[in-house]
Amino acid sequence: PLRWRESNLPVSAQYQLDGIQYFKFDEEASKEKFDKLTGVLNKLLGGASMAEAAPGEAVFQAEGVEAKSVSPSPSRRAARRRRDTAQKEGIIAAGKLVMTKVVSHLNDFTPEEQNAINQELKWLFNAAEHFSKIRRGAVDAAAPVLVPIPPEAECAPEANNALLPDVDGFTLQLIEGEINSLVKQIIIYSRNLTIELNKQAMLGGEAASNIALGNSIKAQQRGMIERARDLANNMQQVYGVLVYGPADVLDTLV
């Protein structure tokens, strides 16, 4: 994307733009600036790093996202393979899929409502990732989830965005297995949904009359959001926080 003016990004876009770097045009267009941009893009597509593509230029990091150090890849094919793998695996990746392949495709919500739902989904999948890290010993059990509790979430009196201290070990182990299972199912549904959406795109205007295809798309979306709802119920048990975004979306897919 080209960033022309300062703007607030919707929550769903923050994942896709994670770690993005950009040049500031200061809202002044000129042939020289666009030629410079074209040259940088051509070098990046050729495998150059940002520093190699734009030596001596001031590069800005998008606000609200963590800068990432990217090592030069041996080939563009290998880099593409790693990106595809990263997108298809992991708890956070599953959350991105729910937002981009389900919520963003629905017309039942206003942009503000979609953003609120995505904010709840962002907390939900970050909480699940946080829980997983605690179970692996990578994060202290008293540490809070990095994403704030959404304002419309239902919270228990003792909830403080950290793991509840009185959850027994058996429940923790059970929920750990549930998270792994739900994430895998979301990814599988997402792959099936991609196939159906590709069919829809190929049919063009004829897709509207293909009832079976429409029902199949909705079934895959419903499968993804049902797992997100189940994940929300699991996170309520261990964090005392319940987000209703998945249930709200599910109501529109019935």
Side-chain angles (χ1 to χ4, degrees):
L2 300 179
R3 183 170 180 174
W4 189 254
R5 292 184 175 89
E6 295 293 332
S7 60
N8 294 321
L9 297 174
V11 176
S12 59
Q14 292 175 8
Y15 282 123
Q16 289 94 317
L17 302 182
D18 189 20
I20 194 170
Q21 294 174 310
Y22 61 92
F23 297 102
K24 283 188 176 180
F25 276 1
D26 297 323
E27 301 188 19
E28 295 180 4
S30 69
K31 183 178 184 302
E32 179 184 0
K33 290 181 178 179
F34 279 106
D35 286 345
K36 181 185 294 185
L37 177 63
T38 301
V40 171
L41 289 175
N42 285 334
K43 291 177 182 177
L44 290 174
L45 291 172
S49 66
M50 179 65 83
E52 293 169 336
E57 293 290 338
V59 179
F60 299 86
Q61 183 74 32
E63 297 178 1
V65 295
E66 180 182 354
K68 295 184 177 179
S69 175
V70 181
S71 302
S73 57
S75 69
R76 290 172 60 188
R77 183 183 297 274
R80 176 61 180 272
R81 185 165 58 249
R82 284 197 296 272
R83 286 197 298 271
D84 289 344
T85 301
Q87 290 170 355
K88 292 178 181 177
E89 297 178 356
I91 297 172
I92 299 299
K96 299 178 191 179
L97 293 172
V98 173
M99 285 190 278
T100 58
K101 292 194 174 184
V102 181
V103 179
S104 64
H105 284 260
L106 299 177
N107 298 319
D108 301 84
F109 302 104
T110 65
E112 292 75 18
E113 289 171 335
Q114 277 197 9
N115 199 49
I117 290 171
N118 283 332
Q119 187 66 48
E120 294 194 345
L121 289 170
K122 183 178 180 181
W123 178 88
L124 173 61
F125 284 89
N126 272 273
E129 173 73 7
H130 180 261
F131 177 83
S132 179
K133 287 182 177 179
I134 290 175
R135 296 294 292 169
R136 298 197 307 267
V139 172
D140 187 83
V145 178
L146 295 179
V147 176
I149 297 174
E152 296 185 6
E154 179 181 306
C155 298
E158 67 274 21
N160 63 351
N161 212 21
L163 191 68
L164 297 176
D166 58 349
V167 183
D168 63 87
F170 177 76
T171 299
L172 294 176
Q173 183 177 356
L174 188 66
I175 289 179
E176 182 180 15
E178 278 285 302
I179 291 174
N180 293 333
S181 176
L182 291 170
V183 167
K184 288 178 181 178
Q185 291 177 58
I186 287 173
I187 292 172
I188 291 172
Y189 274 110
S190 173
R191 290 171 181 168
N192 294 336
L193 177 58
T194 297
I195 294 172
E196 299 300 78
L197 290 175
N198 287 339
K199 291 179 183 177
Q200 186 183 57
M202 291 176 63
L203 288 173
E206 298 178 7
S209 61
N210 193 324
I211 298 175
L213 179 59
N215 288 339
S216 179
I217 289 173
K218 184 174 288 188
Q220 307 309 319
Q221 291 176 324
R222 187 164 54 244
M224 293 176 69
I225 206 67
E226 283 175 347
R227 273 67 188 173
R229 177 203 57 193
D230 294 344
L231 184 63
N233 292 334
N234 278 284
M235 291 302 95
Q236 182 187 24
Q237 293 185 58
V238 291
Y239 288 97
V241 177
L242 177 62
V243 292
Y244 288 100
D248 292 339
V249 174
L250 188 58
D251 287 342
T252 70
L253 292 172
V254 175

